[in-house]
Amino acid sequence: MIKRITSVFFLTLAFSLTANAGLIGDTVRVAHHYPDIDKEHLGVDILVGSETTFVPVHGIPQYEASLGDDFLAVDFLNTTQWANRAFNGLVLTEMDSLLVDIAVETNFINWDNSRMSYADNRLAFNWAGLSFNTETFFNVSFGTQAVSVPEPASLALLGLGLVGLGLSRKMKAA
C-alpha cells in the first residue's frame, strides 16, 4: 500500500501544475557596458513591474531605459555619438526566464541585428559608433518561455494528504 501511495505521489509530482516565469516580479540587472562587453560601466538591479527606470549618469545622462514583462524601451536624452570601442551599450543579465522572439525597432542609423546578442542569460545591444539625438528611439519586444517550476504549496498539500491517508489506513489495520 505504501508503494502505491508513493507511486501516486511521484506521478502527481511529475505532472504537477507549473508556475509561469515571466519578467514581472523578477530582478534584472540592467547595465551600460564599456569599453568591452565584460566591463560593466554603470548598472542597477531593476524589479520588473515596479515602474523603475535606469538612467546611467557619468557626466551627462545619455538615455533612460524602462523594462517591462515583454519590452525594453530606451529614450535618448541628448545628442551625441557613442565612442567606437569593442562594446558600448546596454546589457541585461540575471533574468529568470528564457527570452524568445526578440525584435528591435529603432531609428538608429546603421543599426543592424548583428549588434545584438543573446546567450548565457545575457541580452546585449552594442551601440558603439552610432549617433543619436532626442528623437532616436530603441524599442525591444520579446516573449518569455515559461520555466517549469512546481507549485510548492500544491505539492506540500498533496504530500500531507497522502501521508495522512497512509497513516489512517495503518491505524485501521492495527
Side-chain angles (χ1 to χ4, degrees):
M1 184 61 159
I2 295 296
K3 286 183 181 179
R4 183 176 289 168
I5 291 172
T6 305
S7 297
V8 169
F9 175 74
F10 283 111
L11 274 172
T12 305
L13 178 64
F15 294 105
S16 65
L17 296 173
T18 60
N20 288 335
L23 292 186
I24 292 291
D26 290 353
T27 300
V28 176
R29 184 76 180 167
V30 180
H32 191 91
H33 285 221
Y34 173 84
D36 61 62
I37 197 163
D38 295 320
K39 177 71 172 145
E40 182 177 309
H41 186 58
L42 299 164
V44 66
D45 293 327
I46 291 181
L47 177 61
V48 180
S50 65
E51 300 299 322
T52 303
T53 57
F54 170 59
V55 182
V57 178
H58 185 75
I60 300 171
Q62 306 294 343
Y63 63 91
E64 175 180 84
S66 301
L67 184 60
D69 191 41
D70 61 355
F71 72 91
L72 168 69
V74 180
D75 294 317
F76 293 88
L77 306 175
N78 60 45
T79 300
T80 192
Q81 180 176 354
W82 295 110
N84 199 5
R85 301 291 186 262
F87 189 91
N88 193 354
L90 191 61
V91 177
L92 281 64
T93 57
E94 300 175 18
M95 296 167 283
D96 290 338
S97 299
L98 178 65
L99 301 184
V100 295
D101 302 325
I102 302 167
V104 175
E105 180 183 355
T106 185
N107 60 352
F108 259 133
I109 296 173
N110 295 325
W111 168 266
D112 63 68
N113 284 338
S114 69
R115 293 173 165 270
M116 175 182 71
S117 65
Y118 179 59
D120 300 325
N121 202 25
R122 176 170 69 182
L123 179 59
F125 306 98
N126 189 358
W127 299 330
L130 299 179
S131 298
F132 63 93
N133 60 39
T134 57
E135 300 299 317
T136 304
F137 62 88
F138 191 83
N139 299 319
V140 181
S141 62
F142 49 81
T144 56
Q145 186 174 357
V147 177
S148 181
V149 179
E151 293 282 355
S154 300
L155 294 177
L157 285 173
L158 176 66
L160 285 174
L162 291 174
V163 168
L165 182 63
L167 289 176
S168 69
R169 290 195 183 264
K170 189 175 183 177
M171 292 174 85
K172 282 184 184 179

